[in-house]
Amino acid sequence: MAVEADVTAGSNSFFMVGLPDTAVKESKERVTSAIKNSGFQYPRGNVVLNLAPAHVRKEGSALDLPIAIGMLAASGQLGGDLFTRYAVVGELALDGSIRPVAGALSMAIAARDQGLQGLVAPAENAEEAGVVPGAEAIPVRNLHEAVQFLSGEAPIAPHKTDPSAAYARAQQGVPDLVDVKGQQHVKRALLVAAAGGHNLLMVGPPGTGKTMLAARLPGILPDMTFDEALETTRIFSVASGASGGTSLKMSRPFRAPHHTATTVSICGGGAGQQPTPGEVSLAHHGVLFLDELPEFNRGALEVLRQPLEEGLVHIRRANYSVTFPSRFTLVVAMNPCPCGHRTDPRRPCRCTQGEVQRYMGRLSGPLLDRIDLHVDVPALSFDELTNDQPSGMSSAEVRKHVQQARDRQRSRYDGQYTCNAYLDSRAIREHCKLNNGAQQLLEQAINRLGFSARAYDKVLRLARTLADLEGTDSLAEHHVAEAIQYRTLDRDLV
């Protein structure tokens, strides 16, 4: 996108073309006041602004600063050629100060890809723009600073973001798995889910720690690579209101939308010309947690099927078509019945069989079929609640095992698959071969439990992950047996 300005002699007039929306049209008043209050002369004569490309509708206030720079350059108040070597972005206040905008990281990447030297951006956006290799992020606080830099009168050092500092910040305040009392078998399921990238369903009465356990899954996932952090930060950068002063995000996202969330808020989009990422994209490279799963709108749950399969969400509206990345680990939690006490031995269940069936009937069968691990989360005993000793391994210790398993998968698949959960049928046949004993065990499970073909594949993927956690290449009977027990809730949920 480019701003072209032309100032010619004649009666004082102002024309803006190129499909500007209301916010862009209103920039005339902001730019006029900012130019005058910054000590410059507002151009006299006919001022014509063209926002290119002309056929694309322009939205937002990020064009304020480039419009002001273009007008000053066209009127001879800005010399040199630096403004042709840098992209410029920013919203202007009436006093000439520059306010932050959404999407600065994407703009810095676009400036680099177009062969420009860098991006002149609001100082508040310099932290996110400064992570792009090969593009300078020039922080400016007001219009006067921007003009002085672009005219060559006052050089400004580019802002450099330190990834190591961002990683140190990311490690602060991460909840630790050792804080959760008891539930050792559920922690084991979390370990398996993290090691293989598998989706997880937890079923249990209220207050058993399902939310606490889900919130600790990002802390045991492998550390983010720089490319993953850059991609995740870019998503948050363009999500208006979600960034909160975006810096490089080195911690894996954890998104937990309320069960009243709409379909658009889950998948993304919106009514404007600039679609925003939804929860499935904000959870990219992280965890999407849906608590009280049956309470979610059925349509909001159905949109999860495509990103779970492809790692992408395609949004098509009358005004635009866009694709957002959405590769995440899905964790869902639910009660076993409407009152929540059907599996609690200490509290009687008040639900009738019909109420339980209607409650379970709210769940999407295709969505449940895409969840690899089903695990029961029982109520804790008094001894478990009052035990002050550390319960199990810490998140750091678990993450080491997860990283070792992921390293084996990365080496085995040579970049073709990121983890076991994404293996297709051909890869399953090649990498998940069973010995005779394991084959017989799986055959018995299929005949007795009625596993579908998709459940069969999931058992093999889970067994492959369990073998990777042990550091072995062969799939033995105990790997298949543990994988099968994570699917035994199929009979109750389908």
Side-chain angles (χ1 to χ4, degrees):
M1 187 178 297
V3 176
E4 300 173 343
D6 183 43
V7 179
T8 58
S11 60
N12 293 332
S13 59
F14 183 93
F15 300 97
M16 182 183 294
V17 296
L19 295 181
D21 74 342
T22 302
V24 179
K25 291 178 180 178
E26 291 176 348
S27 66
K28 174 189 174 182
E29 312 304 330
R30 295 190 295 272
V31 169
T32 299
S33 297
I35 288 177
K36 293 178 179 178
N37 292 330
S38 298
F40 301 104
Q41 181 69 38
Y42 185 80
R44 296 183 179 276
N46 297 323
V47 178
V48 180
L49 293 173
N50 178 44
L51 311 179
H55 67 283
V56 177
R57 188 169 180 83
K58 318 304 185 301
E59 290 187 349
S61 57
L63 294 176
D64 287 2
L65 183 57
I67 287 174
I69 295 297
M71 292 173 62
L72 293 176
S75 60
Q77 300 180 70
L78 174 60
D81 65 344
L82 276 179
F83 66 90
T84 65
R85 292 154 51 188
Y86 285 87
V88 181
V89 64
E91 176 186 331
L92 284 173
L94 299 183
D95 62 354
S97 59
I98 301 176
R99 293 171 176 158
V101 297
L105 177 57
S106 295
M107 297 175 193
I109 294 175
R112 179 197 62 187
D113 295 343
Q114 294 174 14
L116 298 176
Q117 192 168 336
L119 177 71
V120 177
E124 289 86 346
N125 291 126
E127 183 72 13
E128 61 177 287
V131 305
V132 181
E136 296 180 358
I138 307 299
V140 290
R141 292 176 172 79
N142 52 62
L143 178 59
H144 191 267
E145 276 189 16
V147 172
Q148 282 192 315
F149 170 77
L150 293 173
S151 63
E153 298 177 6
I156 299 177
H159 181 88
K160 294 293 184 182
T161 301
D162 183 9
S164 60
Y167 178 77
R169 290 193 301 269
Q171 300 307 305
Q172 298 176 358
V174 177
D176 200 303
L177 194 61
V178 77
D179 297 332
V180 181
K181 295 179 180 295
Q183 309 294 10
Q184 297 303 321
H185 69 291
V186 186
K187 294 179 181 180
R188 169 68 176 178
L190 284 176
L191 167 62
V192 176
H198 303 287
N199 302 319
L200 173 66
L201 165 67
M202 294 183 288
V203 184
T208 55
K210 299 187 293 293
T211 301
M212 288 185 64
L213 288 160
R216 281 149 179 79
L217 180 56
I220 65 175
L221 289 172
D223 295 335
M224 294 184 75
T225 65
F226 180 79
D227 289 339
E228 289 177 337
L230 194 63
E231 192 173 16
T232 302
T233 306
R234 189 174 183 180
I235 295 172
F236 275 79
S237 176
V238 300
S240 178
S243 58
T246 306
S247 59
L248 185 63
K249 292 191 174 297
M250 295 299 296
S251 60
R252 295 192 178 272
F254 179 79
R255 305 294 298 183
H258 193 260
H259 60 77
T260 57
T262 64
T263 302
V264 173
S265 68
I266 294 293
C267 72
Q273 291 286 334
Q274 296 181 349
T276 57
E279 294 293 340
V280 295
S281 297
L282 294 171
H284 187 53
H285 293 313
V287 176
L288 177 63
F289 175 54
L290 303 181
D291 198 6
E292 304 293 344
L293 183 66
E295 304 299 332
F296 275 81
N297 178 279
R298 184 66 175 258
L301 294 179
E302 291 302 318
V303 300
L304 296 175
R305 292 161 62 177
Q306 183 185 50
L308 286 174
E309 289 289 337
E310 302 179 20
L312 300 169
V313 57
H314 306 286
I315 304 172
R316 290 178 174 84
R317 302 290 186 268
N319 298 327
Y320 60 79
S321 176
V322 66
T323 298
F324 289 122
S326 55
R327 179 68 74 188
F328 55 87
T329 298
L330 177 66
V331 180
V332 297
M334 58 178 290
N335 297 328
C337 64
C339 75
H341 303 300
R342 185 162 64 100
T343 59
D344 191 341
R346 295 172 297 182
R347 302 185 65 177
C349 176
R350 303 187 303 270
C351 305
T352 65
Q353 185 64 30
E355 290 174 335
V356 174
Q357 291 178 349
R358 285 191 295 271
Y359 181 75
M360 293 297 182
R362 300 177 191 173
L363 303 179
S364 168
L367 175 61
L368 289 175
D369 208 23
R370 287 166 171 81
I371 298 177
D372 306 329
L373 296 95
H374 303 162
V375 60
D376 182 41
V377 187
L380 295 176
S381 66
F382 179 79
D383 291 339
E384 290 175 317
L385 289 172
T386 56
N387 186 4
D388 294 331
Q389 298 298 319
S391 179
M393 295 186 293
S394 66
S395 292
E397 294 173 317
V398 175
R399 187 166 58 247
K400 291 180 181 178
H401 295 286
V402 171
Q403 187 65 62
Q404 291 171 358
R406 288 289 185 102
D407 290 342
R408 289 182 60 86
Q409 295 166 51
R410 188 179 300 109
S411 175
R412 180 190 305 122
Y413 306 132
D414 194 23
Q416 188 174 4
Y417 305 96
T418 55
C419 52
N420 291 329
Y422 307 139
L423 296 179
D424 56 22
S425 298
R426 181 192 59 80
I428 291 175
R429 291 193 300 270
E430 180 180 354
H431 300 289
C432 302
K433 296 179 180 180
L434 305 177
N435 60 32
N436 291 334
Q439 186 74 30
Q440 293 175 3
L441 180 61
L442 184 54
E443 180 182 359
Q444 294 173 3
I446 292 176
N447 293 333
R448 293 181 181 179
L449 302 179
F451 285 166
S452 65
R454 178 172 286 173
Y456 170 79
D457 288 345
K458 289 188 179 298
V459 168
L460 293 178
R461 294 189 189 102
L462 285 171
R464 176 70 273 166
T465 298
L466 293 167
D468 288 336
L469 284 170
E470 287 189 2
T472 62
D473 293 327
S474 59
L475 305 186
E477 290 91 335
H478 64 282
H479 299 140
V480 173
E482 184 174 355
I484 290 172
Q485 64 95 12
Y486 288 126
R487 303 297 305 177
T488 54
L489 292 177
D490 282 347
R491 293 170 295 178
D492 298 325
L493 296 175
V494 178

Short mmCIF file of all heavy atoms in Angstrom, two decimals, residues 54-111:
data_model
loop_
_atom_site.label_atom_id
_atom_site.label_comp_id
_atom_site.label_asym_id
_atom_site.label_seq_id
_atom_site.Cartn_x
_atom_site.Cartn_y
_atom_site.Cartn_z
N ALA A 54 -5.72 1.46 -5.92
CA ALA A 54 -6.97 2.20 -5.85
C ALA A 54 -8.18 1.31 -5.67
O ALA A 54 -9.21 1.76 -5.17
CB ALA A 54 -7.12 3.04 -7.12
N HIS A 55 -8.09 0.01 -6.04
CA HIS A 55 -9.26 -0.86 -5.99
C HIS A 55 -9.45 -1.54 -4.64
O HIS A 55 -10.45 -2.22 -4.42
CB HIS A 55 -9.16 -1.93 -7.07
CG HIS A 55 -8.04 -2.92 -6.84
ND1 HIS A 55 -6.72 -2.61 -7.10
CD2 HIS A 55 -8.05 -4.18 -6.35
CE1 HIS A 55 -5.96 -3.65 -6.80
NE2 HIS A 55 -6.76 -4.62 -6.34
N VAL A 56 -8.50 -1.35 -3.70
CA VAL A 56 -8.58 -1.98 -2.39
C VAL A 56 -9.04 -0.94 -1.36
O VAL A 56 -8.46 0.15 -1.28
CB VAL A 56 -7.21 -2.56 -1.97
CG1 VAL A 56 -7.31 -3.15 -0.56
CG2 VAL A 56 -6.77 -3.62 -2.95
N ARG A 57 -10.05 -1.27 -0.58
CA ARG A 57 -10.57 -0.35 0.41
C ARG A 57 -9.57 -0.19 1.56
O ARG A 57 -9.00 -1.17 2.04
CB ARG A 57 -11.91 -0.84 0.95
CG ARG A 57 -12.60 0.17 1.86
CD ARG A 57 -14.03 -0.24 2.14
NE ARG A 57 -14.70 0.72 3.01
CZ ARG A 57 -15.26 1.84 2.57
NH1 ARG A 57 -15.24 2.13 1.28
NH2 ARG A 57 -15.86 2.67 3.41
N LYS A 58 -9.34 1.05 2.01
CA LYS A 58 -8.37 1.35 3.06
C LYS A 58 -9.11 1.59 4.37
O LYS A 58 -10.09 2.34 4.41
CB LYS A 58 -7.53 2.58 2.72
CG LYS A 58 -7.05 2.65 1.26
CD LYS A 58 -6.27 1.46 0.83
CE LYS A 58 -5.71 1.60 -0.58
NZ LYS A 58 -6.72 1.81 -1.62
N GLU A 59 -8.62 0.99 5.46
CA GLU A 59 -9.25 1.12 6.77
C GLU A 59 -8.23 1.51 7.82
O GLU A 59 -7.03 1.24 7.67
CB GLU A 59 -9.92 -0.20 7.18
CG GLU A 59 -11.15 -0.56 6.38
CD GLU A 59 -11.86 -1.78 6.94
OE1 GLU A 59 -11.28 -2.45 7.82
OE2 GLU A 59 -12.99 -2.05 6.53
N GLY A 60 -8.72 2.14 8.90
CA GLY A 60 -7.89 2.42 10.06
C GLY A 60 -7.17 3.75 9.98
O GLY A 60 -7.26 4.49 9.00
N SER A 61 -6.42 4.02 11.05
CA SER A 61 -5.72 5.30 11.18
C SER A 61 -4.22 5.19 10.96
O SER A 61 -3.50 6.17 11.17
CB SER A 61 -5.98 5.87 12.58
OG SER A 61 -5.56 4.94 13.58
N ALA A 62 -3.73 4.03 10.52
CA ALA A 62 -2.28 3.84 10.37
C ALA A 62 -1.70 4.67 9.24
O ALA A 62 -0.48 4.83 9.16
CB ALA A 62 -1.96 2.36 10.14
N LEU A 63 -2.55 5.22 8.35
CA LEU A 63 -2.06 6.00 7.22
C LEU A 63 -1.86 7.48 7.56
O LEU A 63 -1.44 8.26 6.70
CB LEU A 63 -3.04 5.88 6.05
CG LEU A 63 -3.15 4.50 5.41
CD1 LEU A 63 -4.23 4.50 4.33
CD2 LEU A 63 -1.82 4.06 4.82
N ASP A 64 -2.16 7.89 8.81
CA ASP A 64 -2.01 9.30 9.17
C ASP A 64 -0.60 9.81 8.93
O ASP A 64 -0.40 10.85 8.28
CB ASP A 64 -2.36 9.50 10.66
CG ASP A 64 -3.85 9.38 10.92
OD1 ASP A 64 -4.59 9.12 9.95
OD2 ASP A 64 -4.26 9.55 12.08
N LEU A 65 0.38 9.11 9.47
CA LEU A 65 1.78 9.58 9.36
C LEU A 65 2.26 9.57 7.91
O LEU A 65 2.85 10.57 7.46
CB LEU A 65 2.68 8.73 10.25
CG LEU A 65 4.16 9.15 10.29
CD1 LEU A 65 4.30 10.60 10.72
CD2 LEU A 65 4.95 8.23 11.21
N PRO A 66 2.05 8.50 7.12
CA PRO A 66 2.48 8.59 5.73
C PRO A 66 1.77 9.68 4.93
O PRO A 66 2.37 10.28 4.03
CB PRO A 66 2.16 7.19 5.17
CG PRO A 66 1.32 6.52 6.17
CD PRO A 66 1.61 7.14 7.48
N ILE A 67 0.51 9.98 5.25
CA ILE A 67 -0.19 11.08 4.57
C ILE A 67 0.49 12.41 4.89
O ILE A 67 0.75 13.23 3.99
CB ILE A 67 -1.67 11.10 4.97
CG1 ILE A 67 -2.41 9.94 4.31
CG2 ILE A 67 -2.32 12.43 4.58
CD1 ILE A 67 -3.85 9.78 4.76
N ALA A 68 0.81 12.62 6.17
CA ALA A 68 1.48 13.86 6.56
C ALA A 68 2.86 13.97 5.93
O ALA A 68 3.24 15.04 5.43
CB ALA A 68 1.58 13.93 8.09
N ILE A 69 3.62 12.88 5.91
CA ILE A 69 4.95 12.90 5.29
C ILE A 69 4.84 13.19 3.80
O ILE A 69 5.61 13.97 3.23
CB ILE A 69 5.67 11.55 5.54
CG1 ILE A 69 5.95 11.36 7.03
CG2 ILE A 69 6.96 11.47 4.73
CD1 ILE A 69 6.87 12.37 7.64
N GLY A 70 3.85 12.58 3.13
CA GLY A 70 3.67 12.82 1.71
C GLY A 70 3.33 14.27 1.41
O GLY A 70 3.85 14.86 0.45
N MET A 71 2.47 14.87 2.22
CA MET A 71 2.09 16.27 2.00
C MET A 71 3.28 17.21 2.23
O MET A 71 3.48 18.18 1.48
CB MET A 71 0.93 16.63 2.92
CG MET A 71 -0.38 15.92 2.57
SD MET A 71 -1.70 16.19 3.78
CE MET A 71 -1.92 17.96 3.66
N LEU A 72 4.08 16.94 3.26
CA LEU A 72 5.24 17.79 3.53
C LEU A 72 6.29 17.64 2.43
O LEU A 72 6.94 18.62 2.05
CB LEU A 72 5.83 17.44 4.89
CG LEU A 72 4.95 17.77 6.10
CD1 LEU A 72 5.60 17.29 7.39
CD2 LEU A 72 4.67 19.26 6.19
N ALA A 73 6.48 16.41 1.93
CA ALA A 73 7.44 16.21 0.86
C ALA A 73 6.97 16.89 -0.43
O ALA A 73 7.76 17.51 -1.16
CB ALA A 73 7.66 14.71 0.63
N ALA A 74 5.66 16.78 -0.74
CA ALA A 74 5.13 17.38 -1.97
C ALA A 74 5.18 18.90 -1.93
O ALA A 74 5.27 19.56 -2.97
CB ALA A 74 3.70 16.90 -2.20
N SER A 75 5.12 19.48 -0.72
CA SER A 75 5.15 20.94 -0.59
C SER A 75 6.56 21.47 -0.37
O SER A 75 6.73 22.67 -0.10
CB SER A 75 4.25 21.38 0.57
OG SER A 75 4.69 20.80 1.80
N GLY A 76 7.57 20.62 -0.44
CA GLY A 76 8.95 21.05 -0.34
C GLY A 76 9.47 21.25 1.06
O GLY A 76 10.56 21.80 1.25
N GLN A 77 8.77 20.79 2.06
CA GLN A 77 9.21 20.96 3.45
C GLN A 77 9.99 19.75 3.96
O GLN A 77 10.45 19.76 5.11
CB GLN A 77 7.99 21.21 4.35
CG GLN A 77 7.20 22.44 3.98
CD GLN A 77 6.01 22.64 4.90
OE1 GLN A 77 6.15 22.97 6.08
NE2 GLN A 77 4.80 22.45 4.35
N LEU A 78 10.12 18.72 3.14
CA LEU A 78 10.88 17.53 3.51
C LEU A 78 11.80 17.18 2.34
O LEU A 78 11.32 16.84 1.26
CB LEU A 78 9.94 16.36 3.81
CG LEU A 78 10.59 14.99 4.06
CD1 LEU A 78 11.54 15.04 5.24
CD2 LEU A 78 9.51 13.93 4.30
N GLY A 79 13.10 17.32 2.56
CA GLY A 79 14.06 17.04 1.50
C GLY A 79 14.69 15.67 1.63
O GLY A 79 14.35 14.88 2.52
N GLY A 80 15.63 15.39 0.75
CA GLY A 80 16.32 14.12 0.77
C GLY A 80 15.48 13.02 0.14
O GLY A 80 14.39 13.24 -0.40
N ASP A 81 16.02 11.79 0.23
CA ASP A 81 15.31 10.65 -0.36
C ASP A 81 15.09 9.51 0.63
O ASP A 81 14.69 8.41 0.25
CB ASP A 81 16.10 10.12 -1.56
CG ASP A 81 17.46 9.56 -1.17
OD1 ASP A 81 17.92 9.84 -0.04
OD2 ASP A 81 18.06 8.83 -1.99
N LEU A 82 15.34 9.77 1.92
CA LEU A 82 15.16 8.70 2.91
C LEU A 82 13.72 8.21 2.96
O LEU A 82 13.47 7.03 3.24
CB LEU A 82 15.60 9.18 4.30
CG LEU A 82 17.09 9.09 4.62
CD1 LEU A 82 17.36 9.63 6.02
CD2 LEU A 82 17.59 7.66 4.50
N PHE A 83 12.77 9.13 2.73
CA PHE A 83 11.37 8.72 2.83
C PHE A 83 10.98 7.75 1.71
O PHE A 83 9.93 7.11 1.78
CB PHE A 83 10.43 9.94 2.84
CG PHE A 83 10.41 10.72 1.56
CD1 PHE A 83 9.51 10.41 0.56
CD2 PHE A 83 11.27 11.79 1.36
CE1 PHE A 83 9.48 11.14 -0.62
CE2 PHE A 83 11.24 12.52 0.19
CZ PHE A 83 10.35 12.19 -0.81
N THR A 84 11.82 7.65 0.68
CA THR A 84 11.58 6.65 -0.36
C THR A 84 12.22 5.31 -0.03
O THR A 84 11.96 4.32 -0.71
CB THR A 84 12.11 7.14 -1.72
OG1 THR A 84 13.53 7.27 -1.65
CG2 THR A 84 11.49 8.49 -2.08
N ARG A 85 13.08 5.26 0.99
CA ARG A 85 13.78 4.03 1.36
C ARG A 85 13.20 3.36 2.59
O ARG A 85 13.63 2.28 2.98
CB ARG A 85 15.26 4.34 1.59
CG ARG A 85 15.99 4.73 0.30
CD ARG A 85 17.20 5.62 0.56
NE ARG A 85 18.11 5.09 1.57
CZ ARG A 85 19.15 5.79 2.05
NH1 ARG A 85 19.39 7.01 1.59
NH2 ARG A 85 19.94 5.25 2.96
N TYR A 86 12.25 4.02 3.23
CA TYR A 86 11.61 3.46 4.43
C TYR A 86 10.10 3.45 4.25
O TYR A 86 9.52 4.36 3.65
CB TYR A 86 11.95 4.30 5.67
CG TYR A 86 13.34 4.11 6.20
CD1 TYR A 86 14.40 4.87 5.70
CD2 TYR A 86 13.62 3.18 7.19
CE1 TYR A 86 15.69 4.71 6.18
CE2 TYR A 86 14.90 3.00 7.68
CZ TYR A 86 15.93 3.76 7.17
OH TYR A 86 17.21 3.60 7.66
N ALA A 87 9.47 2.43 4.79
CA ALA A 87 8.02 2.44 4.94
C ALA A 87 7.68 3.25 6.20
O ALA A 87 8.48 3.29 7.15
CB ALA A 87 7.47 1.03 5.06
N VAL A 88 6.54 3.90 6.20
CA VAL A 88 6.15 4.77 7.31
C VAL A 88 4.74 4.39 7.75
O VAL A 88 3.85 4.15 6.91
CB VAL A 88 6.19 6.25 6.89
CG1 VAL A 88 5.79 7.15 8.06
CG2 VAL A 88 7.56 6.63 6.37
N VAL A 89 4.51 4.33 9.06
CA VAL A 89 3.20 3.98 9.58
C VAL A 89 3.01 4.65 10.94
O VAL A 89 3.98 4.86 11.69
CB VAL A 89 3.05 2.45 9.71
CG1 VAL A 89 4.04 1.88 10.72
CG2 VAL A 89 1.64 2.04 10.06
N GLY A 90 1.78 5.01 11.25
CA GLY A 90 1.50 5.61 12.55
C GLY A 90 0.24 6.44 12.54
O GLY A 90 -0.16 6.99 11.51
N GLU A 91 -0.42 6.52 13.70
CA GLU A 91 -1.60 7.37 13.87
C GLU A 91 -1.17 8.68 14.52
O GLU A 91 -0.39 8.69 15.48
CB GLU A 91 -2.64 6.68 14.74
CG GLU A 91 -3.86 7.54 15.04
CD GLU A 91 -4.81 6.91 16.02
OE1 GLU A 91 -4.87 5.66 16.05
OE2 GLU A 91 -5.49 7.64 16.77
N LEU A 92 -1.67 9.80 14.02
CA LEU A 92 -1.29 11.11 14.52
C LEU A 92 -2.33 11.63 15.51
O LEU A 92 -3.54 11.53 15.28
CB LEU A 92 -1.15 12.11 13.37
CG LEU A 92 0.12 12.00 12.52
CD1 LEU A 92 0.04 12.93 11.32
CD2 LEU A 92 1.37 12.30 13.35
N ALA A 93 -1.84 12.21 16.61
CA ALA A 93 -2.69 12.98 17.50
C ALA A 93 -2.71 14.43 17.03
O ALA A 93 -1.90 14.84 16.20
CB ALA A 93 -2.18 12.88 18.93
N LEU A 94 -3.60 15.23 17.57
CA LEU A 94 -3.72 16.61 17.11
C LEU A 94 -2.48 17.44 17.42
O LEU A 94 -2.18 18.42 16.73
CB LEU A 94 -4.96 17.26 17.75
CG LEU A 94 -6.31 16.63 17.41
CD1 LEU A 94 -7.45 17.41 18.05
CD2 LEU A 94 -6.50 16.53 15.91
N ASP A 95 -1.74 17.07 18.47
CA ASP A 95 -0.53 17.82 18.82
C ASP A 95 0.71 17.34 18.07
O ASP A 95 1.81 17.81 18.33
CB ASP A 95 -0.29 17.75 20.33
CG ASP A 95 -0.05 16.33 20.82
OD1 ASP A 95 -0.18 15.39 20.00
OD2 ASP A 95 0.24 16.16 22.02
N GLY A 96 0.55 16.36 17.17
CA GLY A 96 1.67 15.86 16.39
C GLY A 96 2.32 14.62 16.95
O GLY A 96 3.22 14.05 16.31
N SER A 97 1.92 14.18 18.14
CA SER A 97 2.49 12.94 18.68
C SER A 97 1.94 11.75 17.90
O SER A 97 0.89 11.83 17.25
CB SER A 97 2.16 12.81 20.17
OG SER A 97 0.76 12.80 20.38
N ILE A 98 2.67 10.64 17.96
CA ILE A 98 2.34 9.46 17.17
C ILE A 98 1.90 8.34 18.09
O ILE A 98 2.59 8.00 19.05
CB ILE A 98 3.55 9.02 16.32
CG1 ILE A 98 3.98 10.16 15.40
CG2 ILE A 98 3.22 7.78 15.50
CD1 ILE A 98 5.22 9.85 14.60
N ARG A 99 0.76 7.76 17.76
CA ARG A 99 0.18 6.68 18.56
C ARG A 99 0.42 5.33 17.88
O ARG A 99 0.53 5.26 16.66
CB ARG A 99 -1.32 6.92 18.75
CG ARG A 99 -1.62 8.14 19.62
CD ARG A 99 -3.07 8.48 19.62
NE ARG A 99 -3.37 9.59 20.52
CZ ARG A 99 -4.43 10.36 20.42
NH1 ARG A 99 -5.31 10.16 19.44
NH2 ARG A 99 -4.62 11.34 21.29
N PRO A 100 0.45 4.24 18.66
CA PRO A 100 0.72 2.91 18.08
C PRO A 100 -0.44 2.42 17.24
O PRO A 100 -1.59 2.86 17.39
CB PRO A 100 0.93 2.03 19.32
CG PRO A 100 0.19 2.73 20.41
CD PRO A 100 0.32 4.20 20.14
N VAL A 101 -0.14 1.49 16.36
CA VAL A 101 -1.14 0.88 15.48
C VAL A 101 -0.99 -0.63 15.54
O VAL A 101 0.03 -1.16 16.00
CB VAL A 101 -0.97 1.38 14.03
CG1 VAL A 101 -1.21 2.88 13.94
CG2 VAL A 101 0.41 1.03 13.49
N ALA A 102 -2.01 -1.33 15.09
CA ALA A 102 -1.97 -2.80 15.02
C ALA A 102 -1.28 -3.24 13.74
O ALA A 102 -1.35 -2.57 12.71
CB ALA A 102 -3.38 -3.37 15.08
N GLY A 103 -0.58 -4.37 13.81
CA GLY A 103 0.02 -4.96 12.61
C GLY A 103 1.39 -4.45 12.25
O GLY A 103 1.84 -4.64 11.12
N ALA A 104 2.13 -3.83 13.20
CA ALA A 104 3.45 -3.28 12.87
C ALA A 104 4.43 -4.37 12.46
O ALA A 104 5.28 -4.15 11.59
CB ALA A 104 4.00 -2.50 14.07
N LEU A 105 4.34 -5.54 13.07
CA LEU A 105 5.25 -6.63 12.70
C LEU A 105 5.04 -7.05 11.25
O LEU A 105 6.01 -7.22 10.50
CB LEU A 105 5.05 -7.81 13.64
CG LEU A 105 5.88 -9.06 13.35
CD1 LEU A 105 7.37 -8.73 13.34
CD2 LEU A 105 5.58 -10.16 14.35
N SER A 106 3.79 -7.21 10.85
CA SER A 106 3.51 -7.59 9.46
C SER A 106 3.98 -6.49 8.50
O SER A 106 4.47 -6.79 7.40
CB SER A 106 2.01 -7.84 9.28
OG SER A 106 1.60 -8.96 10.03
N MET A 107 3.85 -5.24 8.90
CA MET A 107 4.30 -4.14 8.05
C MET A 107 5.82 -4.14 7.91
O MET A 107 6.35 -3.85 6.83
CB MET A 107 3.81 -2.81 8.62
CG MET A 107 2.31 -2.66 8.65
SD MET A 107 1.79 -1.13 9.47
CE MET A 107 0.04 -1.45 9.69
N ALA A 108 6.53 -4.46 8.99
CA ALA A 108 7.99 -4.53 8.91
C ALA A 108 8.43 -5.66 7.99
O ALA A 108 9.38 -5.51 7.21
CB ALA A 108 8.58 -4.72 10.31
N ILE A 109 7.74 -6.79 8.06
CA ILE A 109 8.06 -7.91 7.16
C ILE A 109 7.77 -7.52 5.71
O ILE A 109 8.56 -7.81 4.80
CB ILE A 109 7.26 -9.15 7.57
CG1 ILE A 109 7.71 -9.64 8.95
CG2 ILE A 109 7.41 -10.27 6.54
CD1 ILE A 109 6.89 -10.78 9.50
N ALA A 110 6.65 -6.83 5.48
CA ALA A 110 6.31 -6.39 4.12
C ALA A 110 7.33 -5.39 3.60
O ALA A 110 7.71 -5.45 2.41
CB ALA A 110 4.91 -5.79 4.12
N ALA A 111 7.81 -4.49 4.46
CA ALA A 111 8.82 -3.52 4.03
C ALA A 111 10.11 -4.22 3.62
O ALA A 111 10.72 -3.89 2.60
CB ALA A 111 9.09 -2.52 5.16
#
